[in-house]
Amino acid sequence: MAGVRFACCVALLVCFQTLVSAHFTLTYPSSRGFDDTKEATAPCGGFDTPSAQRVQIPLDGAFIEINSGHTSYTYIVNALAKNSPTVADFSNTSSLVQVAQGGRAYPQAACLPLAFNDIKPNTNVTLQVVYNGGDGLLYQCVDAVVVDAAPSFNKTMCVNADGSDTSSVSSSAPAASATGTSASQGSTTQMAYGLTFIVAVCISVLLV
Ligand SMILES: *[C@@H]1O[C@H](CO)[C@@H](O)[C@H](O)[C@H]1NC(C)=O
Ligand SMILES: *[C@@H]1O[C@H](CO)[C@@H](O)[C@H](O)[C@H]1NC(C)=O
Ligand SMILES: *[C@@H]1O[C@H](CO)[C@@H](O)[C@H](O)[C@H]1NC(C)=O
Ligand SMILES: [Cu+2]
């Protein structure tokens, strides 16, 4: 009986941990790679080597599709026009071009539109998505080539979970500031309370 209770508690904790750590994933186009434990590592979530194959993305109508674990977040997407950017290249602010910024106030699927104002067709770029869900900045990168026409780019992947219009470049509240951390306190505190609650329930159940 105690074994069952213990297993139940472990399952609860694992479940909670998954909820907490499912910050965000990049669902389209494919990122360099995703590792939950390294997503907070700049500049590319622990993946410092460019992908062997670049994704073709259109100059007009490009977007990044993500799945957010947080209900409220801000984001920035930077483009770095270099064939084999190093980690250091991402901290050179004069070579990073911001191609998107915004925020969303709903979880799960979100289509983040990109605006390649100063980028010419056939430019190799690495797109860096910087996501701020309130518990630290998270990173994902996509190695791409910006082209006039990208027939392989699947526009039907652009979906907003709240059903809002995906064609608009300006995005909904909250105001963008992917570099700030001030919004973080609320959700972190909630998570701490949640974890304390689960541990308390586990201890009392085990003691019965
Ligand atoms: C930073 O980027 C600019 C523009 O691409 C470049 O001219 C400059 O040499 C870079 N600086 C360093 C330290 O790499
Ligand atoms: C872009 O990158 C690919 C490799 O991913 C390379 O073959 C190609 O020459 C690069 N294009 C330019 C214009 O440098
Ligand atoms: C594009 O994405 C949609 C939605 O996921 C999918 O149903 C469709 O098969 C995709 N099309 C291609 C050509 O991959
Ligand atoms: Cu998170």
Side-chain angles (χ1 to χ4, degrees), residues 89 92 94-95:
D89 289 329
N92 181 347
S94 54
S95 54

Side-chain angles (χ1 to χ4, degrees), residues 21-172:
S21 57
H23 308 290
F24 100 100
T25 53
L26 200 159
T27 45
Y28 189 82
S30 299
S31 75
R32 278 186 185 180
F34 171 74
D35 181 340
D36 214 14
T37 62
K38 293 185 191 155
E39 205 177 14
T41 307
C44 291
F47 293 83
D48 294 340
T49 312
S51 308
Q53 190 111 34
R54 289 177 179 278
V55 168
Q56 294 212 337
I57 51 172
L59 198 52
D60 293 314
F63 59 85
I64 295 284
E65 180 76 13
I66 67 164
N67 192 307
S68 175
H70 289 272
T71 301
S72 182
Y73 58 92
T74 58
Y75 66 88
I76 282 177
V77 183
N78 295 310
L80 180 55
K82 240 186 156 188
N83 278 344
S84 304
T86 63
V87 168
D89 289 329
F90 287 90
S91 36
N92 181 347
T93 48
S94 54
S95 54
L96 277 188
V97 178
Q98 190 176 297
V99 293
Q101 74 160 42
R104 298 297 168 93
Y106 58 88
Q108 298 170 353
C111 180
L112 317 179
L114 309 180
F116 293 121
N117 298 322
D118 300 322
I119 294 175
K120 295 184 173 56
N122 304 316
T123 305
N124 283 342
V125 295
T126 298
L127 299 171
Q128 179 197 39
V129 181
V130 186
Y131 170 100
N132 184 358
D135 52 4
L137 300 183
L138 300 166
Y139 303 88
Q140 283 279 278
C141 289
V142 177
D143 294 296
V145 54
V146 179
V147 291
D148 272 325
S152 58
F153 192 76
N154 190 343
K155 296 209 167 165
T156 61
M157 292 301 290
C158 180
V159 174
N160 287 332
D162 73 339
S164 61
D165 186 10
T166 55
S167 63
S168 136
V169 170
S170 66
S171 44
S172 57

